[in-house]
Amino acid sequence: DLYEAANSNEKYLSIFSTTQIKKDIHVEALLRIIAVSDINFGRFSPKRYGIKNILDEYGELNRDNEINFGRLKIIFSYIEQLVDLFQKNHVFRRVNSKGEFEGVINIGILESLVGSLVESNKTIPNNFIDTYIRELTKLWDSYILEEQDNPFSTSTGSLESIQNRYKIFESMIG
């Protein structure tokens, strides 16, 4: 089941704090990767938006279904590559206006970056860290200046925010 899957990968677990693991944030994050990808790519249309509503409905609809272990293997493969590339203290983090990683793991970044990679089935580009820092710094500046809403922290469960997060990473992946 999903709980077992979320606890099966050491590198995945390493990006979460002990407290986050006790609160099952890692299980919710894995469900978000799957459910939100299914929304973004047209495989699931929730009756109500909002992260909690989406996850509740998706879980209810799929609770009797087997987890696609092939898909999980691909998800964990990309997560492992990203942890190796960024290191666990920088992976899936926001980037501030100085181009520095900050804060705790951002589940919106995790969900949309991994979801975009899984869907594209592309190799992570060699210069990806530089692209990530450059693009997220530009985005951070535009959020601070209020030129646009931050899809990683504002209305994260709205269709528009979901689509915007995926567009950001799809453009970075190429």
Side-chain angles (χ1 to χ4, degrees), residues 137-153:
T137 300
K138 278 196 285 191
L139 289 169
W140 181 261
D141 288 344
S142 71
Y143 305 144
I144 297 292
L145 298 171
E146 296 182 10
E147 295 168 354
Q148 59 182 318
D149 287 335
N150 182 341
F152 299 105
S153 62

Side-chain angles (χ1 to χ4, degrees), residues 2-22 24-27 30 76 79-80 83 88 91-92 105 110:
L2 191 69
Y3 189 83
E4 283 177 30
N7 286 295
S8 70
N9 186 287
E10 287 302 317
K11 221 168 246 186
Y12 177 65
L13 288 170
S14 78
I15 64 176
F16 296 96
S17 70
T18 307
T19 305
Q20 288 173 318
I21 291 171
K22 282 182 186 161
D24 290 334
I25 302 297
H26 65 302
V27 180
L30 186 57
F76 285 135
I79 289 170
E80 289 170 5
V83 171
K88 72 176 187 167
V91 72
F92 311 123
I105 185 172
L110 165 68

Side-chain angles (χ1 to χ4, degrees), residues 72-84:
L72 276 179
K73 188 175 175 187
I74 295 166
I75 288 169
F76 285 135
S77 170
Y78 278 117
I79 289 170
E80 289 170 5
Q81 291 172 61
L82 290 164
V83 171
D84 288 344

Side-chain angles (χ1 to χ4, degrees), residues 41 74-75 77-79 81-82 85 112-126 128 166-174:
F41 296 105
I74 295 166
I75 288 169
S77 170
Y78 278 117
I79 289 170
Q81 291 172 61
L82 290 164
L85 186 64
S112 50
L113 174 52
V114 173
S116 296
L117 285 164
V118 169
E119 202 67 28
S120 72
N121 198 26
K122 290 185 178 176
T123 303
I124 298 168
N126 290 333
F128 189 70
Y166 275 81
K167 283 179 193 153
I168 288 164
F169 289 119
E170 287 167 356
S171 72
M172 284 189 214
I173 295 164

Side-chain angles (χ1 to χ4, degrees), residues 2 27-38 51 55 106-109 111 156-157 165-166:
L2 191 69
V27 180
E28 180 180 311
L30 186 57
L31 179 58
R32 270 185 70 167
I33 294 168
I34 297 166
V36 176
S37 284
D38 282 356
I51 291 297
L55 298 182
N106 182 298
I107 305 299
I109 292 174
E111 150 236 300
T156 55
R165 287 195 300 273
Y166 275 81

